[in-house]
Amino acid sequence: EAGVVQSPRYKIIEKKQPVAFWCNPISGHNTLYWYLQNLGQGPELLIRYENEEAVDDSQLPKDRFSAERLKGVDSTLKIQPAELGDSAVYLCASSLVTQGEQYFGPGTRLTVT
Amino acid sequence: GDSVTQMEGPVTLSEEAFLTINCTYTATGYPSLFWYVQYPGEGLQLLLKATKADDKGSNKGFEATYRKETTSFHLEKGSVQVSDSAVYFCALTTSSGNTPLVFGKGTRLSVIA
């Protein structure tokens, strides 16, 4: 069974540029999560989807971050414009149901210069 | 709010040494508790979990017991190997509502031969 797939694995951009991350969850998993992991810290939830509905986006900085999961399968997280402080690892996870075991992708490491 | 506190690293041990990584939590309701491991360059992987008081989770020689009276979930291994070098995260989720995982800051373990 394929795991959670994320791309790209690494991204370097200049500040004020836009960037997008893509995640394909495990097949059949209804719940999808995006986490932010700063260096030396644990992951922090940005947004959680149940199918195509964002049910918890309270921690998403909506002035510059957006996300979508149009068909309830794969998802895209976007930052526009990026700031230096956005340099971090962006993790995607999925679970079969809410409260179920979460499976994590390898993450996208973003560096903003 | 819910929170997890882990002992700070890095922890450096010789091969075959005994490992303890302390984890305490604060939560409303009755949390489920987890240990995740992150190997270099990889995503987080669930190592073990416990869903109620006095449960013991175990996997790959690692163990942790859910202690409600001390609100703790310490990770232990009797004899570590070089391949155990990684970052270990304690996490919780509560059964109230749809609370996502709340992570500790992680503890880096280095095992030397």
Side-chain angles (χ1 to χ4, degrees):
Chain A
E1 177 183 286
V4 176
V5 178
Q6 290 188 248
S7 69
R9 291 293 309 275
Y10 304 92
K11 187 74 176 179
I12 301 174
I13 60 171
E14 294 183 347
K15 62 181 179 182
K16 300 184 181 180
Q17 294 301 306
V19 65
F21 314 125
W22 178 79
C23 172
N24 194 31
I26 292 173
S27 178
H29 280 197
N30 296 324
T31 308
L32 183 146
Y33 311 77
W34 282 103
Y35 288 89
L36 165 69
Q37 185 178 17
N38 286 305
L39 186 65
Q41 303 292 318
E44 299 174 15
L45 181 73
L46 288 173
I47 189 169
R48 174 169 62 90
Y49 282 92
E50 296 289 343
N51 298 303
E52 66 274 9
E53 182 181 359
V55 296
D56 183 356
D57 63 355
S58 57
Q59 301 303 311
L60 189 72
K62 298 181 182 65
D63 56 336
R64 297 185 299 108
F65 286 65
S66 64
E68 60 183 15
R69 192 185 185 200
L70 293 177
K71 297 183 179 180
V73 182
D74 58 340
S75 175
T76 302
L77 177 68
K78 299 178 181 178
I79 308 174
Q80 182 170 9
E83 297 179 352
L84 294 176
D86 296 330
S87 296
V89 176
Y90 292 83
L91 296 169
C92 180
S94 70
S95 62
L96 188 60
V97 294
T98 304
Q99 298 296 320
E101 180 177 336
Q102 293 185 31
Y103 295 81
F104 284 81
T108 296
R109 181 177 296 278
L110 173 67
T111 301
V112 182
T113 63
Chain B
D2 300 339
S3 66
V4 173
T5 302
Q6 292 181 233
M7 63 185 286
E8 291 192 15
V11 174
T12 302
L13 295 173
S14 298
E15 211 167 19
E16 299 183 1
F18 184 86
L19 168 71
T20 299
I21 300 178
N22 290 337
C23 170
T24 57
Y25 67 89
T26 302
T28 55
Y30 299 95
S32 295
L33 302 173
F34 306 82
W35 277 101
Y36 279 78
V37 58
Q38 188 173 33
Y39 297 104
E42 299 184 13
L44 277 76
Q45 302 173 25
L46 179 64
L47 181 60
L48 55 84
K49 66 179 180 182
T51 57
K52 61 182 187 295
D54 299 325
D55 269 2
K56 177 185 284 187
S58 61
N59 185 25
K60 300 181 180 179
F62 291 88
E63 294 183 340
T65 301
Y66 189 142
R67 301 289 188 197
K68 187 176 180 182
E69 63 276 12
T70 55
T71 62
S72 65
F73 193 54
H74 305 321
L75 182 68
E76 296 181 337
K77 186 175 185 181
S79 176
V80 294
Q81 305 299 313
V82 172
S83 57
D84 294 326
S85 298
V87 181
Y88 292 82
F89 293 92
C90 186
L92 68 81
T93 186
T94 65
S95 59
S96 59
N98 295 317
T99 310
L101 286 176
V102 175
F103 287 86
K105 292 185 176 182
T107 302
R108 181 176 298 278
L109 170 66
S110 295
V111 181
I112 55 177

